[in-house]
Structures are given as structure tokens and as C-alpha cells.
Amino acid sequence: MSNQKTESAPHVLPPLPYPDNALDPVISANTLSFHYGKHHKTYVDNLNKLIAGTELEDLSLEEIIASVAGKVDKTGIFNNAAQVWNHTFYWNSLTPKGGGEPPAALKQKIEASFGSVEACKKELATAATTQFGSGWAWLVQDGDKLQVSKTGNADLPLTKGIKPILTIDVWEHAYYLDYQNRRVDYVNAVLDKLINWGFAADNCR
């Protein structure tokens, strides 16, 4: 490990890929401001504090996640690192005027794995609404096949060697200001109007 210290913290809050009111009315600017500006930022700040002066300080986010996953004494580091990664991936999984038809190559893969785009969306919605407590619903690529999975809390497919394609955040802070306890309404609105099939297609190559 280099002894040189950089002036800035090793991990920074990445900018949102759109203005904070761009997902209105499905996700309000108020929700985005709290979710990104408070929750996501806190994970970044906590991670930097936890790894300061350790052998993890110079590692990438993915390397940190891989090196601490499953280690009980490193749970705090894992939770914060994974949540920084998950949230960045989630913001990119959404786009203004999203939903609709996936790009042709992705649509073909979805139809090969699920039968239809609607069947894929239904499976994603089921995973998102049946995840008990906080967590994530994922479209993943395992070998040549696309699958839907869900993880609790900060867990993510990377720890199982499976490639994430897109995700939906189902922690309460992702939707409670807009939807209260109506998680199903939030999930369906995201899938119909915000899901970023272009980002998923880029991850599927």
C-alpha cells in the first residue's frame, strides 16, 4: 500500500445521471433529495471513515466488497460499500421516460429467458414486492440466461459471482415519502415508466 495520502476521500458520491426532479411524478424531487443526498451520501461518508488508514483504503468499491463479504468483523464495511455500489447502480437503472420496449438484442434475451418482456416485468415486480423488509430486486445474467433475484439489506449478486443487469431499491426510504406503505404501486410505476432498459442492455453485452 502506498504511504501517499490523497487530499480527497477515496470514495466520492457520484453525480446523479439526471436532475433531482427528472423522475417526477413517479419519484419526487423530495424523495430523491433525501434518498441520494442523505442516505447514499451517508454510506459514502461512513465507508471512507471505516477504511481510513486500513489496507482497504486504496481498493476499488468492487474490490472492497469482494474482500470483506462474509467476514463478520467487517460487516460494517461491507454494508456501507455494498450500499454505495447498489445505490449508484439503482440510479442508473432508472431514467426519465423509461419503461417501454427494451432494445432489440436485450428483448431477444428476455424473451428467451422469460417468454416475454411482460413476464420478466411481472417476475421483477413479484421479487420486489415479496422481499421481506429492506432489500433489492435484481435482473441478473448467470451465464447465458437472464434471471430475477432478490437480496436483503445490502447484499448484492456480485458476492455470488452473478452479473447484475438492473435493480429496484425496495428499502422504505426509496418510496415512503411518495407512496407510504404502497410498495406495489411504487414498483409497478418504476417498471412501467422509469426502468432503464438501455442501461440493462449495456450491462448484458
Side-chain angles (χ1 to χ4, degrees):
M1 190 176 95
S2 163
N3 288 323
Q4 281 187 315
K5 293 286 177 191
T6 53
E7 299 253 342
S8 61
H11 297 280
V12 296
L13 183 67
L16 280 172
Y18 31 71
D20 63 5
N21 64 350
L23 307 182
D24 263 334
V26 178
I27 297 173
S28 68
N30 191 29
T31 287
L32 211 55
S33 159
F34 273 97
H35 194 175
Y36 170 75
K38 302 275 193 257
H39 292 279
H40 192 176
K41 183 178 185 301
T42 299
Y43 294 128
V44 174
D45 293 345
N46 286 344
L47 176 63
N48 285 326
K49 283 178 199 157
L50 287 166
I51 63 172
T54 74
E55 73 283 357
L56 301 171
E57 196 170 34
D58 296 330
L59 301 184
S60 71
L61 211 47
E62 289 84 356
E63 288 168 337
I64 293 171
I65 290 165
S67 65
V68 302
K71 295 181 179 172
V72 177
D73 61 327
K74 299 281 196 299
T75 300
I77 294 172
F78 173 81
N79 285 342
N80 284 281
Q83 285 292 75
V84 173
W85 195 96
N86 289 351
H87 278 86
T88 303
F89 197 77
Y90 169 64
W91 305 131
N92 285 287
S93 295
L94 308 177
T95 188
K97 299 186 174 65
E101 286 284 295
L106 175 61
K107 187 178 179 186
Q108 201 172 1
K109 287 177 182 171
I110 287 173
E111 287 172 343
S113 297
F114 298 95
S116 69
V117 173
E118 279 309 308
C120 173
K121 283 169 63 179
K122 191 172 178 185
E123 210 168 308
L124 269 167
T126 299
T129 52
T130 59
Q131 168 56 37
F132 183 75
S134 300
W136 305 82
W138 304 86
L139 182 63
V140 300
Q141 185 172 14
D142 191 6
D144 291 333
K145 194 168 171 57
L146 297 183
Q147 296 174 336
V148 165
S149 67
K150 55 186 176 177
T151 59
N153 298 315
D155 204 8
L156 68 168
L158 290 179
T159 59
K160 300 166 188 70
I162 295 170
K163 187 179 184 186
I165 302 302
L166 58 77
T167 195
I168 301 171
D169 187 346
V170 292
W171 281 63
E172 281 192 343
H173 60 240
Y175 61 88
Y176 212 83
L177 292 176
D178 296 330
Y179 295 90
Q180 283 75 52
N181 61 339
R182 302 189 313 277
R183 185 193 285 188
V184 65
D185 292 346
Y186 153 75
V187 168
N188 287 332
V190 163
L191 283 166
D192 288 341
K193 296 173 182 169
L194 296 182
I195 209 74
N196 188 350
W197 291 121
F199 176 67
D202 289 344
N203 290 324
C204 225
R205 287 173 185 162

